[in-house]
């Protein structure tokens, strides 16, 4: 049976030694966040995830969700009880302002808990995760009345949330949305249409489900400028907050999927369902983007989480499984064979996954911290800089951490040999589960276009220039540091690749958008590698400062591995970026 | 529903224009292999695979195999009829000498048919594929009596074959095998033990199943030098070839797996089963290697096949699915959106898979042709050179084509967005099925060790020197060819990387085997990229010679894409090879 241990020690190293969150004690919500408090919170969260969520991961995958004739959906055995424990622990409201019943703690801690929950049980973690996204959207765009009606119950987890964007004929291209909203005399709307791929669209975990739905008000302009956001509860809510009549929104089907079987992916039918406008008419997409940006970071965290869970199992197996002898002679001569961790190629796989995971975790927490600074800092310039960084890094965290998560799951499965292919062993589930993270909340190609087409040029390239400036300053500050040399030198080379690629885009893509499109994914990976390399160099620095400590020593070894074997991929990515769109666009469509 | 069309035209281009098999008409078996004959055979095979095997691929995956209480195993609906059609078509005996009832046709044609069958239905293709491997082992090592007893029925497909190596505690390390063989007064043996992961170990497709089993004769030396090979039929066979009593070998369980559900992966229990020695006592491993080498090439073909099937579906979807507009302005303004094939990033994915598939197919056929030359050429030097090349390329074909197949399946699935994750759509099966090809018949890490540890140093590096010589001669011959420049120049750079990496191994790995182990996978990929690049340059040359022809134009575009975007990965691989084992081996095992 698979194991999972939440990586509390690694997180504490990142928060304390690398991000030094003590520096932010002046921010609201950070005042009481001492290292001891953080550790206590994380240990508590870790215990819940390890003891309650993880044991349901394999069984939930096998059992899946089931829809009855009446459209109701049952989650796998044990999920109701686990959800109740999670909800009662207050985890859903962790980052929500206390005014709405939350704990008002930093988003960075919430990201940690998302990783723990997703690492223990990805399909489970999606239920509270989606609710958190819906809460964020209502906090930002909901009316006071809407906030009062929905937020307290959502924050407590008694009600859950969903996001309804996709329709059968449109996913990425939301301008094609057909779901209609007919305005009623009382100011409410009636929604009619069909949404698909709605995660947690229907289930038996909560008393009510609050759907946030994109739809087109009758007479609205065509395309994305005619999309509005609505809140549409499964059960109507009375003025006193009590649950009333069943609304005309039902689950028509749940999809059979490759993985995340324990999360119900629903076709949702809106048959004149009562709904209320959130924010302004025809401004639904920007409002939904609040939720999507939260969700995109959370999906990056999911990729990381599954990669970490897979790694832990592969590492345990590699230390147990006896097969062959070390190339340098028997290591455990008293046994019939050595554990396979003696083999350099097995270590290569494990070190790769480890380096990607730990680097990804550092980048993810650094990015989540920007959300806190953006929301909480006193001065405008600091808030703006944090928002810039958050926007720039969101597509990178989403796409890189999910690609790395899938890669990590695949490499980890490989360590198991044939046993990794057998369902009973439980690691093939990591591959099937991780696979969705590259697709949903904007397929990774869309993340790359978001980075290259929007985030880079935004505000005259301000966010990118700030990042490059910070990176150069970091390189400059440590140029003469002999101990950091194995980390700084390769990073300098790769930072140069990033600058060249950025320059290439400026010179070749402005007038030729196909050059941007053809370069986008490789540019994102190049940037992501540099961002990971930057975090690895910061970790190496913190590890050196920490002195003789097992975790610090392991960090330095893994940092070296990253710098030697993974970071050099930036050269390849630059070559691809600079190749231009010619070879990509030359084949006539009918020849594919 | 997924589609599949066997790539007959591409194969014909490779056989006629690139490999020019007309040159080999002097070899036995090639005399009557005119282009027309080959095309007729392939069209016939393609029809069978497209019309009979492919329609059972998704249903076979859903239904899987079932084991009854008595140990009998039922294949999915339709498999018996499909197998009968395949068998009756004479496809199993295609490469087998006519003396044993085969058609005596070239192995290169058999490899093509393996691709078609696996592309249509991987799980199905394994049944005849394993029989072909068992036939090869008996042809090489069986006694005349064994050949007479088993081969005619296996060649006709009335009986099938398996290979039994793995045991619960040993896969890669066959020296640990525990299955015992007790010699009987009549010269036969009784086998006792348990084998696992036996593909097609039990099923309802044939009248008998001929197991080839590795076991240890009582008193044999420890380790790999004490392993013998046995033939052990499910039903004993009388002197007149009739089927007799049930042998004491039974299927104890079939595994639930990630994919290839329609192929029964069996636990086989040998409870004193009657068996006969194949070849010499304690020489079982070398004998089994005949079967394994055939199987390794066949698994490479499987990876390619699934990548091709996935590509075809992604390409079709990309031409149909309307979503968004071309970055350069609407391409189909009369429709609500453009087909997604207008987007450069979608094309990047498709071109990547296409370039890997077509390059892989070329390398695979070139390698399969070596098997023919090795077996059939008149002069010793030619045979030896072909055998050298075959041995050198076998681990590369196995590992590269399977990695590329999985990558192709994943990229193709990505083109489908969320729909690709839904089982009904059918492309996620390609990912689950392709996944096994990186694992079985020697996990890809083992292929890399075989390449670096055995194939490279063998006979003083003769095979490698011959390859590098041929490559340099090719580069030299075309150095001044302006039309080939976009293909030759990058290949020259990458060939240099291969030479540097080989030199690095010679200088750094002989005394330090961990340096070989840590470099092995990256070296294999570097070599594989160069080998694919070499084939792409040969294809470009043949395409130029072909003149104005749609297939030739597509080849040149794809060749350019490969040279610009995929081949440069050799630089990264060289960096990793040269990084040495330090970073890989430094972390104490307990810190993983």
């Amino acid at each position: 049976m698979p194991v999972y241990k939440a990586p509390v020690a690694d997180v504490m190293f990142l928060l304390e030694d690398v991000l030094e969150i003590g520096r932010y004690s002046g921010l609201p919500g950070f005042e009481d966040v001492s290292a001891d408090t953080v550790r206590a919170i994380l240990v508590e969260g870790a215990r819940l995830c390890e003891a309650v969520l993880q044991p349901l991961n394999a069984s939930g995958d096998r059992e899946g969700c089931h829809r009855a004739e009446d459209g109701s959906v049952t989650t796998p055995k044990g999920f109701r009880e686990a959800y109740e424990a999670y909800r009662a622990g207050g985890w859903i409201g962790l980052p929500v302002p206390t005014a709405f019943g939350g704990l008002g703690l930093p988003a960075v801690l919430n990201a940690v808990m998302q990783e723990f929950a997703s690492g223990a049980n990805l399909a489970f973690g999606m239920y509270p995760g989606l609710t958190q996204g819906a809460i964020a959207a209502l906090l930002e765009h909901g009316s006071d009345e809407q906030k009062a009606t929905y937020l307290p119950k959502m924050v407590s987890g008694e009600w859950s949330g969903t996001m309804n964007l996709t329709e059968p004929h449109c996913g990425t291209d939301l301008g094609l949305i057909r779901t209609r909203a007919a305005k009623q005399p009382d100011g409410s709307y009636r929604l009619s249409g069909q949404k698909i791929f709605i995660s947690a669209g229907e289930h038996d975990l909560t008393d009510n489900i609050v759907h946030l739905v994109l739809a087109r008000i009758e007479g609205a302009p065509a395309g994305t400028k005619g999309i509005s956001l609505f809140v549409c509860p499964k059960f109507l809510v009375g003025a006193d907050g009590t649950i009333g009549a069943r609304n005309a929104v039902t689950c028509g089907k749940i999809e059979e999927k490759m993985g995340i079987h324990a999360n119900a992916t629903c076709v949702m039918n809106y048959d004149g369902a009562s709904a209320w406008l959130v924010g302004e008419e025809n401004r639904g997409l920007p409002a939904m983007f609040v939720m999507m940006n939260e969700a995109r970071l959370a999906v990056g965290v999911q990729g990381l989480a599954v990669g970490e869970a897979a790694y832990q199992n592969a590492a345990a197996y590699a230390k147990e499984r006896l097969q062959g002898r070390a190339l340098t002679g028997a290591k455990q001569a008293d046994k019939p064979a050595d554990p396979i961790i003696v083999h350099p190629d097995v270590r290569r796989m494990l070190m790769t996954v480890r380096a990607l995971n730990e680097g990804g975790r550092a980048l993810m927490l650094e990015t989540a911290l920007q959300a806190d600074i953006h929301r909480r800092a006193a001065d405008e310039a600091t808030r703006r800089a944090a928002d810039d960084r958050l926007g720039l890094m969101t597509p990178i965290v989403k796409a890189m951490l999910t690609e790395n998560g899938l890669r990590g799951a695949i490499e980890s499965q490989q360590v198991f040999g044939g046993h990794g292919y057998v369902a009973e062993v439980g690691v093939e589930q990591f591959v099937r589960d991780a696979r969705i993270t590259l697709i949903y909340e904007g397929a990774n190609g869309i993340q790359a276009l978001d980075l290259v087409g929007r985030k880079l040029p935004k505000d005259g390239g301000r966010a990118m220039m700030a990042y490059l400036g910070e990176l150069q300053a970091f390189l400059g500050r440590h140029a003469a540091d002999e101990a950091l040399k194995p980390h700084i030198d390769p990073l300098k080379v790769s930072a140069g690749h990033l600058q060249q690629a950025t320059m290439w885009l400026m010179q070749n893509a402005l007038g030729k958008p196909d050059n941007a499109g053809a370069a986008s994914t490789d540019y994102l990976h190049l940037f992501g590698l540099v961002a990971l390399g930057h975090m690895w160099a910061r970790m190496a620095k913190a590890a050196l400062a920490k002195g003789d400590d097992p975790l610090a020593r392991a960090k330095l070894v893994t940092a070296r591995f990253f710098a030697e074997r993974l970071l050099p991929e930036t050269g390849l990515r630059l070559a691809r970026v600079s190749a231009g769109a010619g070879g990509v666009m030359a084949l006539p469509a009918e020849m594919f």
Side-chain angles (χ1 to χ4, degrees), chain A:
Chain A
M1 285 299 296
V3 294
Y4 178 69
K5 197 141 174 45
V8 174
D10 194 48
V11 167
M12 289 307 300
F13 169 74
L14 290 169
L15 294 178
E16 284 196 279
D17 298 296
V18 182
L19 304 181
E20 301 174 272
I21 60 163
R23 291 186 295 162
Y24 303 98
S25 61
L27 297 186
F30 280 72
E31 306 92 338
D32 306 321
V33 185
S34 69
D36 286 348
T37 312
V38 169
R39 186 178 283 105
I41 293 171
L42 297 187
V43 166
E44 182 69 21
R47 192 163 47 200
L48 177 66
C49 295
E50 293 164 6
V52 178
L53 305 189
Q54 195 271 342
L56 300 175
N57 193 39
S59 59
D61 177 63
R62 271 196 304 275
E63 190 182 335
C65 291
H66 294 281
R67 176 184 172 278
E69 283 287 313
D70 65 359
S72 65
V73 170
T74 315
T75 53
K77 191 159 175 290
F79 268 52
R80 284 178 62 92
E81 295 74 13
Y83 182 81
E84 179 53 29
Y86 197 89
R87 185 202 71 68
W91 297 105
I92 296 169
L94 187 144
V96 179
T98 50
F100 298 99
L103 298 177
L105 286 166
V108 69
L109 292 189
N110 191 52
V112 173
M113 189 58 184
Q114 284 176 335
E115 188 199 331
F116 293 180
S118 303
N121 192 325
L122 177 60
F124 179 93
M126 293 171 66
Y127 292 102
L130 284 157
T131 302
Q132 289 192 324
I135 291 169
L138 285 172
L139 271 175
E140 182 105 0
H141 294 284
S143 66
D144 288 345
E145 193 189 332
Q146 287 167 346
K147 289 180 192 172
T149 303
Y150 298 107
L151 286 183
K153 297 282 192 184
M154 292 172 78
V155 170
S156 71
E158 290 162 90
W159 300 354
S160 64
T162 73
M163 51 197 295
N164 286 236
L165 288 76
T166 307
E167 300 183 2
H169 64 289
C170 77
T172 298
D173 188 356
L174 295 170
L176 301 176
I177 278 177
R178 289 182 194 148
T179 297
R180 299 180 315 281
K183 192 161 190 174
Q184 305 300 305
D186 67 353
S188 72
Y189 292 78
R190 293 290 173 93
L191 299 185
S192 304
Q194 189 178 65
K195 296 288 182 178
I196 64 168
F197 301 161
I198 308 309
S199 298
E202 182 59 75
H203 57 77
D204 57 356
L205 300 180
T206 57
D207 298 334
N208 204 357
I209 301 175
V210 180
H211 302 291
L212 292 178
V213 187
L214 290 184
R216 191 177 292 286
I217 295 174
E218 288 172 347
T224 54
K225 293 189 165 61
I227 307 289
S228 303
L229 179 63
F230 297 88
V231 58
C232 178
K234 174 179 171 184
F235 290 101
L236 300 178
V237 182
D240 58 350
T242 55
I243 282 181
R246 185 72 165 81
N247 203 354
V249 47
T250 50
C251 168
K253 180 188 172 191
I254 59 179
E255 307 287 356
E256 293 283 330
K257 308 186 298 295
M258 186 183 193
I260 51 165
H261 293 153
N263 198 283
T265 303
C266 301
V267 172
M268 299 302 294
N269 294 319
Y270 290 83
D271 301 306
S274 295
W276 289 265
L277 184 68
V278 177
E280 295 172 41
E281 279 189 14
N282 301 330
R283 297 283 299 153
L285 269 195
M288 190 56 108
F289 261 106
V290 173
M291 186 160 178
M292 282 170 69
N293 278 328
E294 291 254 342
R296 284 174 175 187
L297 281 181
V299 172
V301 174
Q302 291 176 352
L304 164 66
V306 180
E308 171 68 31
Y311 167 81
Q312 290 185 15
N313 285 279
Y317 186 78
K319 286 184 268 189
E320 269 167 39
R321 171 78 171 175
L322 304 180
Q323 204 77 181
R325 289 295 183 191
L327 297 169
T328 49
K331 288 282 176 296
Q332 302 195 1
D334 55 325
K335 295 200 174 142
D338 287 336
I340 60 173
I341 202 163
V342 303
H343 301 305
D345 194 61
V346 170
R347 281 172 165 266
R348 175 192 59 78
M349 294 190 271
L350 292 175
M351 288 300 296
T352 299
V353 187
R354 183 182 176 92
L356 294 174
N357 286 347
E358 293 181 14
R361 183 174 296 118
L363 180 63
M364 180 275 284
L365 292 181
E366 157 84 358
T367 306
L369 186 60
Q370 305 307 314
D372 284 317
I373 298 170
H374 164 53
R375 232 169 269 152
R376 304 170 196 248
D379 80 294
E380 168 62 20
T382 306
R383 283 202 305 273
R384 198 182 70 178
D387 193 37
D388 280 356
R389 179 65 54 85
L390 181 61
L392 186 67
M393 286 296 170
T394 294
I396 294 174
V397 168
K398 197 281 182 182
M400 276 297 278
L401 269 58
T402 58
E403 303 259 0
N404 293 347
L406 178 62
R407 178 175 172 187
I410 291 172
E411 289 278 21
S412 298
Q413 184 187 21
Q414 191 73 14
V415 171
F416 282 79
H419 298 273
Y421 200 65
V422 173
E424 203 175 20
V425 173
V427 295
E428 57 90 36
Q429 184 189 347
F430 295 130
V431 177
R432 290 185 291 102
D433 283 358
R435 184 66 189 87
I436 189 58
T437 65
L438 286 74
I439 299 173
Y440 64 15
E441 302 307 338
N444 284 357
I446 299 301
Q447 306 299 327
L449 281 182
D450 178 46
L451 175 65
V452 166
R454 285 208 299 211
K455 301 298 173 57
L456 275 194
K458 198 169 171 243
D459 304 313
R462 192 176 68 203
M464 184 62 189
M465 285 190 290
Y467 181 78
L468 289 176
E470 185 179 312
L471 181 60
Q472 290 305 337
F474 177 83
L475 291 169
R477 262 199 315 281
H478 302 98
D481 187 333
E482 272 304 309
L484 271 181
K485 207 171 157 56
H487 312 286
I488 294 295
D489 287 357
L491 181 58
K492 201 169 170 184
V493 172
S494 292
H497 293 160
L498 179 59
Q499 275 169 319
Q500 287 177 65
T502 310
M503 189 67 78
W504 190 92
L505 283 177
M506 288 170 63
Q507 291 171 342
N508 296 282
L510 289 176
K512 292 181 187 157
D514 277 348
N515 274 338
S520 56
T521 287
D522 288 295
Y523 183 84
L524 182 144
H525 279 263
L526 166 45
F527 198 161
L529 284 160
V530 170
L532 291 182
H534 189 181
M535 293 313 302
W536 266 116
R538 290 175 61 184
M539 286 192 276
K541 185 186 160 193
L544 285 168
K546 216 170 162 65
D548 196 32
D549 165 281
L551 189 143
R553 283 199 303 274
K555 282 285 169 204
L556 287 168
V557 169
T558 314
R560 176 175 160 201
F561 182 91
F562 184 87
E564 283 180 352
R565 295 199 170 232
L566 301 178
L567 191 53
E569 189 182 319
T570 54
L572 170 62
R573 297 292 182 173
L574 173 61
R576 290 187 186 158
V577 166
S578 326
V584 175
M585 303 305 287
L587 198 65
E590 66 274 14
M591 289 300 296
F592 277 88

